Amino acid sequence: NGFSIWTTFGALARLVEEYGTVDCVAGGSSTSFIAFIVESVASSPYLSDCEASPTCTDDERKARESLMYKAALNVALTGILADVEDAITLFQEYWFTLINSGLQELLDSVDPVPAIMAVIQVMSLAQEFVNLEGYIQLFLQSPDIVYHVQDIVEAWTTECAFCGTPYNFKSYLRPG
């Protein structure tokens, strides 16, 4: 679970090296994620090409499968960071600009709609990791929209401040 998920890939790699392909997975909750990964690796053309080749040995197949598990962290982080890091950095920059431009005063004013629209607009920049539709539904159904917007502003301000300055997405990552 959590940060320990990556140890699972090392364990899977070692199991494959010692005992061969993982044929089945049983369990619940986080095991369903592992089952998905095991099934994805097992269905990889990289492995099926090996099975189809008369010269591919069982040891070679084990080595290929083990390498796929060992490389999972780098593959995942490369994709995640490449796709999301720029979006998060941009979101943080716009968020702090919004906060520092008097958002609270707008929320406290007689007509808080401009502030609410500004929050929605900035959050729309982060659709890769923010459920914008969920927030909009919350706002539309809320008996006290200003309360919800202030709550969200406080939460996102805390989250963005956590990353430090300059905006450092890598502080989300735990070494090791």
Side-chain angles (χ1 to χ4, degrees):
N1 283 332
F3 291 115
S4 299
I5 188 72
W6 302 113
T7 61
T8 304
F9 293 98
L12 285 167
R14 183 70 176 162
L15 284 169
V16 167
E17 290 169 351
E18 292 293 317
Y19 303 105
T21 299
V22 177
D23 293 326
C24 63
V25 177
S29 187
S30 54
T31 307
S32 58
F33 171 73
I34 300 304
F36 171 76
I37 298 298
V38 167
E39 183 179 346
S40 297
V41 167
S43 63
S44 167
Y46 186 66
L47 295 178
S48 59
D49 289 350
C50 183
E51 289 174 347
S53 169
T55 60
C56 184
T57 65
D58 189 46
D59 286 340
E60 184 180 345
R61 188 184 194 296
K62 284 195 252 184
R64 286 181 179 204
E65 188 172 350
S66 175
L67 179 62
M68 291 176 77
Y69 288 121
K70 289 175 183 177
L73 173 63
N74 290 333
V75 170
L77 289 180
T78 299
I80 290 168
L81 293 177
D83 292 343
V84 177
E85 185 173 9
D86 290 340
I88 289 176
T89 300
L90 183 63
F91 175 76
Q92 288 174 308
E93 290 171 7
Y94 280 112
W95 190 262
F96 283 122
T97 300
L98 178 65
I99 297 302
N100 295 329
S101 66
L103 178 67
Q104 190 59 51
E105 291 79 16
L106 282 172
L107 283 169
D108 293 337
S109 71
V110 176
D111 182 16
V113 172
I116 294 164
M117 295 308 294
V119 168
I120 291 171
Q121 183 177 9
V122 171
M123 289 172 58
S124 72
L125 298 170
Q127 290 187 47
E128 290 91 346
F129 57 92
V130 170
N131 181 359
L132 183 62
E133 186 176 315
Y135 281 118
I136 291 171
Q137 287 300 317
L138 172 69
F139 296 156
L140 291 174
Q141 297 171 5
S142 173
D144 188 356
I145 190 171
V146 173
Y147 168 79
H148 286 297
V149 171
Q150 286 175 328
D151 192 39
I152 290 165
V153 165
E154 182 180 325
W156 275 110
T157 302
T158 302
E159 181 68 20
C160 288
F162 168 75
C163 294
T165 53
Y167 311 105
N168 182 5
F169 174 68
K170 289 175 180 56
S171 57
Y172 279 108
L173 304 178
R174 179 176 161 194

